[in-house]
């Protein structure tokens, strides 16, 4: 995502989510607790637009995505989205589905790690949002459900058929996407869908602690690691090794690499600059 901006000013207020910034950590909260944070057209659009804006800002070094109330996100709002899409023509439906996919691309392509703090239900699009994060911190109440086939649609929605096999393997992904079965926290941890299992009620705090650790670390190294993890998913080994070599050569010219050596020599913690 390019850091260069045009004439538009930074958005000061987001109508469909809540944003807080704290010393390099952005926290984005889905805030429709009465609807289990079901997504609307506006919520999708805000997420699509927010992530590139934070990337251009340059001060964000980690992001926590969470949900207010009893659950993380119950997916698309049945009344506001499913009902409305029944009246759309093919062109409008294509625009909508492309927008939801742009949210996932933004999560994968933003130059900072994203941590999903998951509790309660993460269903449909909510499950895919968590899947697209770099880390999924969840508590024992968590229940993932990729429900798309249960509403008569393909399980491969918003990139799920691309991402899920790469996280849990083809066998588990086939079962979860084809059958739309729920997977609770113990099994989700066992198959690798959960990165870290928190104590009950502590997913948000645990995710914040991880975000602080990442934000205080070498931001450029984190950004390049994330970029390589995404880019190399479909590369042959020779191309991946060449990309690794080029990336390391660039980072070896960076300030953080020199700072590590200075800190090691002086027997002190590094003072990371993110460049």
């Amino acid at each position: 995502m390019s850091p260069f901006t045009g004439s538009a000013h930074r958005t000061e207020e987001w109508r469909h989510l809540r944003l807080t910034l704290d010393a390099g950590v952005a926290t984005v909260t889905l805030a429709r607790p009465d609807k289990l944070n079901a997504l609307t057209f506006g919520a999708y659009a805000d997420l699509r637009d927010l992530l590139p804006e934070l990337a251009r800002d340059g001060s964000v070094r980690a992001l926590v995505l969470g949900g207010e109330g009893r659950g993380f996100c119950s997916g698309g709002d049945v009344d506001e989205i499913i009902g409305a899409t029944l009246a759309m023509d093919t062109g409008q439906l294509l625009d909508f589905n492309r927008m939801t996919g742009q949210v996932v691309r933004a999560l994968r392509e933003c130059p900072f790690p994203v941590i999903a703090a998951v509790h309660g239900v993460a269903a449909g699009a909510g499950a895919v949002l968590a899947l697209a994060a770099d880390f999924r911190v969840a508590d024992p109440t968590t229940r993932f459900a990729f429900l798309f086939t249960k509403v008569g649609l393909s399980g491969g929605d918003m990139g799920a058929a691309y991402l899920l096999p790469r996280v849990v393997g083809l066998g588990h992904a086939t079962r979860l996407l084809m059958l739309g079965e729920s997977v609770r926290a113990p099994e989700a941890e066992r198959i690798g869908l959960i990165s870290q299992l928190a104590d009950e009620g502590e997913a948000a705090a645990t995710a914040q602690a991880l975000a602080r650790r990442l934000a205080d670390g070498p931001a450029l190294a984190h950004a390049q690691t994330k970029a390589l993890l995404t880019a190399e998913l479909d590369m042959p080994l020779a191309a991946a090794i060449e990309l690794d070599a080029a990336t390391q050569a660039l980072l070896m010219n960076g300030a953080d690499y020199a700072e590590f050596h200075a800190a090691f020599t002086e027997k002190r913690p590094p003072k990371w600059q993110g460049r």
Side-chain angles (χ1 to χ4, degrees):
M1 293 182 179
S2 171
F4 298 102
T5 60
S7 302
H9 297 291
R10 176 176 171 175
T11 306
E12 296 299 331
E13 181 180 356
W14 297 92
R15 291 174 52 198
H16 304 284
L17 47 82
R18 187 166 63 247
L19 170 67
T20 60
L21 300 168
D22 178 22
V25 175
T27 301
V28 176
T29 306
L30 305 175
R32 296 182 76 208
D34 55 319
K35 298 281 190 176
L36 274 175
N37 302 314
L39 298 166
T40 62
F41 294 112
Y44 278 118
D46 271 4
L47 285 169
R48 175 201 61 195
D49 295 342
L50 169 66
L51 290 159
E53 188 168 303
L54 292 178
R56 289 191 297 269
D57 177 85
S59 65
V60 174
R61 297 192 170 195
L63 183 147
V64 175
L65 176 63
E68 184 179 321
R70 296 181 293 116
F72 176 71
C73 176
S74 59
D77 189 291
V78 173
D79 294 322
E80 294 195 32
I81 288 186
I82 295 181
T85 54
L86 291 173
M88 290 182 180
D89 62 29
T90 301
Q92 293 170 317
L93 291 169
L94 185 57
D95 286 340
F96 166 64
N97 283 284
R98 283 175 172 163
M99 176 177 68
T100 65
Q102 287 164 358
V103 175
V104 170
R105 283 192 60 184
L107 288 166
R108 295 304 316 147
E109 294 176 1
C110 61
F112 41 77
V114 176
I115 304 147
V118 190
H119 70 290
V121 66
V128 182
L129 292 181
L131 175 64
D134 301 290
F135 300 88
R136 283 159 298 285
V137 175
D139 82 359
T141 68
T142 297
R143 176 169 53 88
F144 294 96
F146 298 87
L147 297 174
F148 306 107
T149 60
K150 289 186 176 291
V151 300
L153 297 176
S154 164
D157 194 49
M158 298 171 61
Y162 178 90
L163 291 171
L164 192 58
R166 289 162 170 80
V167 173
V168 303
L170 180 60
H172 292 304
T174 300
R175 172 171 59 93
L176 296 178
L177 295 182
M178 192 83 70
L179 300 178
E181 291 182 343
S182 295
V183 54
R184 297 187 178 275
E187 183 185 4
E189 183 185 29
R190 178 178 63 80
I191 65 177
L193 187 52
I194 290 176
S195 309
Q196 183 177 350
L197 188 63
D199 292 334
E200 186 167 344
E202 294 297 316
T206 304
Q208 287 290 334
L210 176 57
R212 173 52 52 204
R213 175 183 172 186
L214 290 163
D216 290 344
L220 185 58
H222 292 157
Q224 292 305 309
T225 301
K226 175 171 180 171
L228 292 179
L229 283 167
T230 298
E232 294 180 13
L233 285 172
D234 299 306
M235 280 187 182
L237 178 60
I241 288 175
E242 180 62 22
L243 183 57
D244 286 352
T247 301
Q248 295 296 53
L250 289 170
L251 291 176
M252 285 174 177
N253 271 321
D256 280 349
Y257 188 63
E259 167 61 13
F260 165 76
H261 184 261
F264 182 82
T265 303
E266 297 166 16
K267 296 182 172 54
R268 60 171 175 82
K271 299 176 181 177
W272 304 115
Q273 301 176 49
R275 57 186 179 88

